[in-house]
């Protein structure tokens, strides 16, 4: 794993397998040599497509038109090879005829030595020119891999042999494409759900919600490991219409992980090992290490099981199960056997575990600690401290006008709340960068809005530090600037929180979070409207008393005290409601 010591933000089990079909942009240089899509399926045996050439002989420097045609297909990879050594490197280079549907690739360090698709749209014909090099072999054969669908593809369909003039006829028996394995491990059908009674005594179990039972609860996500001499039996269950997967990781970050995927294909389930390389798409591996594979589909729940040896020293990418790892559980959609990004943040164990050691019952979290703290601090800062501070500065100057430590009490409270807001914002702002060790390019507009809020918060502090005296001519400009920047920061912060709640790292449950945030905004706006109306009515009452010249000091004092009491009551109710919203959000974060 590439980033030790930091929590995983996204076990990005995207599982769009590295292949011709899974690269809709056709950038398939990693498949240049073998020309084999790593889909985990057996290629078709009878070619349905054809390669034709414009001439059967060539000389170095000639340009041969090559036409690929047949039933509609989505992806392809075309190369020219030495007909006497089809496993050798590509020969010559290509020139495009239509760059909208085909593109050149650099294979074996030779620019333009292969051609592939540019998109996943269906196509029935591709035409290109092949340029014969000066060092061309005597005989050339074109090979093409065609992908019609994720599970339907042909590997190395050959063309007729073209030859240089005045050479011996091509008499070497035509090399055949090495067939993909056609014998897959036998798969049986599970007849009943998994049992959790042995969890903690004979099985190492991971469950979400904790201690749930897949026999009784459809929403239960379950993964168990049972040691049996030198092998380990693995059981996985959970609600999914596409795939379930788990991975073993040396740290809490994606890269160099040992993964296993159960993929729904029509009314069957394919069980497939895979491995993760960096933050790129995972690669499906041969199923040879898996034994006793079985599956079950029932009421929207997918269950699969398999056995593998605890140690597989001769098998690449498979971890030793006698060591300790972080464990991730993910699910998502699958289309025609092709896996898409997981539907929610994966469940991640809190620490490393040895699944073949002492049996335990453990849980995990769908959100990481640093991201939880980031969200919690931002909610406290921009739902509570700043909101209360704004109301106090706007409406409570006459209520708390007495001096407190050299300044009016309202000002001291306002300053304390705003400094707290800035401090919480600064700490929360740093946490995602610590977690990501850089910028998150997959978080949409949220980080950009967060940066704007941070900048405005700092500018507000600098502006407040240079506040001119009360009767200074610049005071009015200061007041308007201070109000404008503060209002802009609050609006942008709320927008950032709306967007942040839907990010995978802090994916709060269901639409309730949106309703709760809308409720908070309405609650705050409502409190401001009530206090504005009250302030307006008080000002009108003062004007009437002054105009009628019946301003009796005692009556005015009573009215003022009543107004202050009303404001205090509104503030108390507002704070109670504000804290209620805050507790709702913090509780949701804590339960992720």
């Amino acid at each position: 794993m590439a980033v030790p010591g930091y929590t995983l933000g996204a076990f990005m089990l995207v599982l769009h397998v590295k292949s011709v079909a899974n690269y809709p942009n056709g950038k398939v240089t990693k498949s240049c040599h073998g020309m084999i899509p790593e889909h985990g399926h057996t290629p078709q045996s009878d070619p349905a497509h054809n390669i034709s050439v414009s001439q059967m002989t060539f000389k170095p420097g000639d340009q041969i038109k090559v036409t690929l045609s047949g039933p509609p297909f989505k992806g392809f990879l075309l190369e020219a090879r030495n007909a006497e050594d089809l496993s050798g490197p590509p020969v010559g280079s290509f020139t495009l005829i239509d760059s909208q549907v085909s593109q050149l690739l650099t294979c074996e360090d030779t620019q333009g030595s292969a051609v592939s698709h540019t998109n996943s749209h269906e196509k029935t014909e591709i035409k290109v020119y092949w340029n014969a090099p000066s060092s061309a072999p005597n005989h050339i054969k074109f090979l093409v891999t065609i992908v019609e669908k994720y599970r339907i593809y042909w590997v190395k369909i050959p063309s007729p042999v073209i030859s240089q003039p005045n050479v011996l006829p091509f008499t070497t028996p035509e090399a055949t494409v090495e067939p993909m394995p056609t014998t897959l491990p036998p798969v049986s059908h599970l007849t009943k759900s998994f049992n959790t009674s042995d969890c903690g005594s004979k099985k190492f179990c991971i469950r979400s919600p904790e201690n749930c039972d897949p026999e009784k609860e459809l929403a239960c996500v379950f993964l168990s490991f049972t040691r049996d001499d030198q092998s380990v039996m693995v059981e996985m269950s959970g609600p999914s219409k596409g795939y379930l997967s788990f991975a073993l990781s040396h740290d809490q970050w994606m890269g160099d992980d040992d993964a296993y995927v159960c993929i729904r294909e029509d009314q069957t389930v394919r069980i497939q090992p895979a491995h993760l390389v960096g933050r790129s798409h995972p690669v499906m591996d041969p199923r040879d290490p898996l034994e006793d594979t079985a599956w079950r589909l029932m009421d929207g729940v997918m269950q699969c099981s398999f056995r593998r040896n605890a140690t597989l020293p001769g098998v690449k990418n498979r971890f030793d199960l006698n060591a300790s790892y972080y464990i991730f559980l993910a699910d998502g959609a699958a289309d025609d056997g092709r896996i898409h990004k997981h539907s929610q943040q994966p469940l991640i164990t809190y620490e490393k575990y040895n699944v073949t050691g002492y049996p335990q019952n453990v849980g995990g979290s769908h959100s990481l600690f640093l991201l939880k703290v980031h969200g919690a601090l931002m909610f406290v800062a921009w739902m509570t401290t700043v909101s209360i501070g704004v109301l106090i500065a706007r409406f409570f100057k006459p209520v708390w006008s007495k001096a407190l430590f050299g300044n009016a009490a309202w000002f001291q409270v306002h300053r304390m709340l705003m400094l707290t807001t800035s401090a919480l914002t600064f700490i929360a702002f740093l946490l995602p960068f610590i977690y990501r060790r850089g910028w998150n390019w997959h978080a949409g507009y949220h980080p950009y809005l967060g940066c704007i809020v941070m900048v405005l918060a700092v500018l507000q502090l600098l502006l407040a530090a240079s506040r001119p005296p009360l009767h200074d001519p610049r005071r009015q400009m200061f007041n308007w600037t201070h109000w404008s920047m503060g209002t802009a920061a609050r609006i942008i912060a709320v927008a950032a929180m709306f967007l942040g709640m839907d990010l995978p790292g802090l994916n709060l449950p269901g639409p309730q979070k949106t309703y709760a945030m809308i409720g908070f905004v309405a609650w705050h706006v409502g409190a401001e409207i009530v206090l504005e109306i009250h302030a307006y009515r008080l000002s009108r009452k003062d004007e009437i008393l002054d105009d009628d010249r019946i301003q009796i000091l005692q009556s005015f004092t009573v009215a003022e005290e009543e107004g202050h009491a009303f404001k205090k009551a509104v503030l108390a109710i507002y704070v109670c409601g504000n804290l209620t919203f805050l507790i709702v959000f913090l509780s949701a974060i804590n339960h992720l």
Side-chain angles (χ1 to χ4, degrees), residues 210-247:
E210 290 189 18
N211 299 320
C212 65
D213 188 343
E215 282 189 298
K216 302 174 182 177
E217 303 170 55
L218 297 180
C220 180
V221 177
F222 171 80
L223 176 66
S224 73
F225 300 84
T226 306
R227 183 69 182 255
D228 182 12
D229 194 21
Q230 298 302 312
S231 66
V232 178
M233 190 68 188
V234 180
E235 300 172 330
M236 182 163 54
S237 173
S240 177
K241 294 182 178 179
Y243 72 90
L244 286 175
S245 61
F246 77 91

Side-chain angles (χ1 to χ4, degrees), residues 1-9 11 204 206 223 225 245-260 276 319-321 323-330 346-355 362-365 368-369:
M1 307 296 284
V3 189
Y6 287 92
T7 49
L8 170 77
F11 163 49
F204 183 97
I206 304 168
L223 176 66
F225 300 84
S245 61
F246 77 91
L248 307 174
S249 175
H250 293 291
D251 61 24
Q252 292 183 312
W253 197 263
M254 179 182 172
D256 301 325
D257 301 333
D258 183 4
Y260 300 86
L276 309 177
F319 289 178
D320 183 350
L321 297 186
S324 296
Y325 307 99
Y326 291 100
I327 304 167
F328 314 123
L329 272 161
L347 182 77
I348 310 158
T349 56
Y350 298 110
E351 57 185 276
K352 287 184 177 181
Y353 293 102
N354 182 347
V355 298
V362 303
S365 173
L368 281 299
F369 178 73

Side-chain angles (χ1 to χ4, degrees), residues 65-97:
K65 180 184 283 189
V66 182
T67 303
L68 167 63
S69 60
F73 57 94
K74 294 183 177 180
F76 71 94
L77 178 61
L78 174 66
E79 297 180 15
R81 299 281 181 97
N82 184 344
E84 298 175 325
D85 182 17
L86 292 180
S87 62
V91 177
S93 63
F94 290 90
T95 299
L96 301 180
I97 293 178

Side-chain angles (χ1 to χ4, degrees), residues 259-578:
Y260 300 86
V261 196
C262 298
I263 311 167
R264 180 168 183 170
E265 297 179 347
D266 297 326
Q267 296 304 310
T268 63
V269 175
R270 176 164 59 95
I271 303 171
Q272 187 80 45
H275 69 277
L276 309 177
V277 181
R279 295 185 62 81
S280 61
H281 302 312
V283 179
M284 295 296 184
D285 295 324
R287 282 176 269 180
D288 299 341
L290 306 188
E291 302 174 348
D292 300 338
T293 54
W295 58 270
R296 178 174 182 257
L297 293 172
M298 185 67 67
D299 299 327
V301 174
M302 180 188 298
Q303 297 187 328
C304 58
S305 64
F306 62 88
R307 182 186 303 276
R308 58 151 283 190
N309 288 337
T311 58
L312 294 167
V315 181
K316 192 177 179 181
N317 303 317
R318 302 282 74 83
F319 289 178
D320 183 350
L321 297 186
N322 294 314
S324 296
Y325 307 99
Y326 291 100
I327 304 167
F328 314 123
L329 272 161
D331 69 278
D335 179 20
D336 193 34
R338 177 163 48 178
I339 295 171
H340 301 281
K341 182 180 176 181
H342 46 74
S343 54
Q344 62 173 335
Q345 184 74 2
L347 182 77
I348 310 158
T349 56
Y350 298 110
E351 57 185 276
K352 287 184 177 181
Y353 293 102
N354 182 347
V355 298
T356 61
Y358 183 76
Q360 297 183 61
N361 250 318
V362 303
S365 173
H366 284 284
S367 184
L368 281 299
F369 178 73
L370 285 180
L371 298 183
K372 284 184 177 182
V373 175
H374 167 78
L377 292 181
M378 285 300 191
F379 279 130
V380 172
W382 295 95
M383 287 184 66
T384 304
T385 56
V386 76
S387 301
I388 297 172
V390 166
L391 291 184
I392 288 174
R394 176 70 181 86
F395 301 104
F396 284 79
K397 292 178 182 178
V399 179
W400 293 330
S401 58
K402 293 183 179 180
L404 178 66
F405 300 115
N407 283 292
W410 72 265
F411 178 75
Q412 297 285 35
V413 174
H414 172 74
R415 181 163 59 181
M416 178 193 68
L417 290 172
M418 292 310 180
L419 287 173
T420 301
T421 297
S422 298
L424 294 177
T425 301
F426 180 72
I427 295 171
F429 179 79
L430 292 179
L431 295 181
F433 290 97
I434 295 173
Y435 155 65
R436 287 281 181 187
R437 284 196 165 185
W439 184 264
N440 184 359
W441 298 101
H442 306 286
Y445 293 107
H446 176 77
Y448 298 98
L449 296 181
C451 288
I452 295 173
V453 170
M454 186 69 251
V455 169
L456 290 176
V458 172
L459 291 178
Q460 280 288 76
L461 286 179
L462 297 176
L463 186 65
S466 60
R467 184 179 68 148
L470 181 61
H471 300 293
D472 191 289
R474 298 170 298 165
R475 183 58 177 261
Q476 186 174 6
M477 179 176 291
F478 165 83
N479 289 341
W480 277 106
T481 305
H482 191 55
W483 176 86
S484 300
M485 289 176 58
T487 301
R490 290 161 59 204
I491 293 172
I492 297 171
V494 170
M497 287 191 288
F498 268 108
L499 296 176
M501 291 187 300
D502 286 326
L503 290 177
L506 193 68
N507 191 11
L508 297 179
Q512 295 88 346
K513 61 181 181 292
T514 303
Y515 300 145
M517 182 58 72
I518 293 173
F520 159 72
V521 173
W523 179 256
H524 179 80
V525 172
E528 288 212 33
I529 291 174
V530 169
L531 290 172
E532 284 286 1
I533 294 173
H534 178 260
Y536 174 76
R537 294 187 63 185
L538 279 181
S539 65
R540 290 292 299 158
K541 183 180 292 187
D542 291 347
E543 291 175 6
I544 293 171
L545 289 172
D546 186 60
D547 290 345
D548 293 344
R549 302 183 183 277
I550 56 172
Q551 189 171 358
I552 303 173
L553 181 60
Q554 184 176 3
S555 300
F556 181 78
T557 302
V558 170
E560 188 179 47
E561 290 179 353
E562 289 177 352
H564 292 179
F566 179 81
K567 288 183 178 180
K568 291 177 181 178
V570 171
L571 180 63
I573 295 171
Y574 172 78
V575 170
C576 289
N578 188 289

